[in-house]
Amino acid sequence: MSKPTLVLLHGVGLDRTMWEPTAELVADRFTLVTPDLPGHGRNDPAPAGTTLRDLALGVAAEIPEGSHLVGFSLGALVAQYLALHRPDRVATLTSVSSVCRRTPAERAEVLKRLDAARADFRAATAASLRRWYAGTDVAAEWVRRTEATLLANDVGSFRACYRVFATADAEIGPALPRITTPAVAVTGENDPGSTPEMTRRLAAALPNCRSVVVPEARHMLPVQRPEALVDCFTTLIRDNTHG
C-alpha cells in the first residue's frame, strides 16, 4: 500500500533542510516532498516584483494530487494559496507559524524588518535569529545552520520574497473563507511575529480549521518542537482520511 504524500514548505530565507527534525519523525509514514521555494535553496534568485502566485506556481508541479500540505511562515501563505487555487492538490492544510490579516501596527512592524534587511542584511539576520531562538533549548548547531542558510541568500532575492511575506496576507486574507480544506493552524506561545492571536484569527477565517498554540515555543516550531507539530498534522490527517 502506498504511503500518503506529505509536502513541507519552508519559510522565507530558508530552504528544505529546515524540515529535517520533523521529517525524521514521519519518514516511515509518508512519502515526503520538500521543495525549495523559488528564490531559495537550489533555485535561481527571485526577481523584484515576485508575487505569492509566483512562489506557489513555482512549486505546484512538484505537488501530487491529494497531498497533505504543511507550510511554515511564508510557506504557510504559499500552502493557503494552493489550497485556494489548486484544491485538487491539497487534502489537508497545516499552517505553521503563519501570519494572518495583519493589523496596521503588525504590518508596520514587518515592513520595518524589510527596511532593516535593505539597510544591513547581516544585522537583520542576527535579529531574526534572536526572534526565532532566544531563550529556547534549540542546539547551538541548529542556530548556526539557520544563520548559514540565511546568510547564503542572494540579498535582492531575499528582499523580493520577504516583501511577499510582509504583504501577501492582505492579498489572500479576503479569500480565506473560500478554503474549505480540512485545516489546522499552529504556532508557538512565545512567537512574537506569527502570534497566537494570528493563529486564532486564521482558524476563525478558515471554515474547517482549528487552532493550536504550543506552550513555551517560539517561531521555529519545526526545529524547536517537531514532536508537537507532528502531532498536529498527523491528527488532522487521521481525522480526515477515509477508507
Side-chain angles (χ1 to χ4, degrees), residues 50-52 74 77 99 101-102 107 110-111 114 159-174:
T50 291
T51 65
L52 181 60
L74 173 61
L77 296 176
V99 298
R101 295 177 173 175
R102 288 183 178 97
R107 179 89 53 218
V110 74
L111 290 175
L114 178 59
R159 291 169 182 159
C161 293
Y162 201 93
R163 176 162 288 282
V164 176
F165 172 67
T167 61
D169 60 299
E171 170 193 338
I172 201 167

Side-chain angles (χ1 to χ4, degrees), residues 72-215:
F72 168 76
S73 198
L74 173 61
L77 296 176
V78 173
Q80 291 158 24
Y81 186 98
L82 290 166
L84 179 64
H85 294 284
R86 297 288 191 274
D88 59 307
R89 307 286 174 96
V90 188
T92 65
L93 170 65
T94 301
S95 297
V96 186
S97 307
S98 181
V99 298
C100 179
R101 295 177 173 175
R102 288 183 178 97
T103 66
E106 290 165 346
R107 179 89 53 218
E109 183 62 30
V110 74
L111 290 175
K112 279 172 53 180
R113 298 205 297 266
L114 178 59
D115 288 341
R118 290 195 188 100
D120 188 335
F121 184 67
R122 185 170 288 273
T125 295
S128 294
L129 294 172
R130 288 192 295 272
R131 284 196 312 276
W132 298 354
Y133 289 124
T136 72
D137 60 357
V138 172
E141 176 58 24
W142 259 108
V143 179
R144 285 192 293 269
R145 286 184 62 181
T146 304
E147 179 182 38
T149 302
L150 289 171
L151 291 176
N153 278 279
D154 175 276
V155 176
S157 177
F158 176 86
R159 291 169 182 159
C161 293
Y162 201 93
R163 176 162 288 282
V164 176
F165 172 67
T167 61
D169 60 299
E171 170 193 338
I172 201 167
L176 291 174
R178 292 162 38 204
I179 299 174
T180 58
T181 306
V184 63
V186 54
T187 200
E189 177 186 21
N190 299 326
D191 190 330
S194 303
T195 62
E197 173 55 32
M198 283 194 192
T199 282
R200 289 188 281 266
R201 206 179 291 164
L202 179 58
L206 294 171
N208 191 11
C209 185
R210 67 185 181 97
S211 63
V212 176
V213 176
V214 179

Side-chain angles (χ1 to χ4, degrees), residues 3-4 6 8 19-32 226 229-231 233-234:
K3 295 185 287 187
L6 183 71
L8 304 174
W19 290 109
E20 289 174 10
T22 301
E24 288 176 3
L25 299 176
V26 296
D28 60 333
R29 287 177 273 174
F30 296 94
T31 298
L32 296 178
L229 175 56
V230 167
D231 181 67
F233 67 70
T234 55

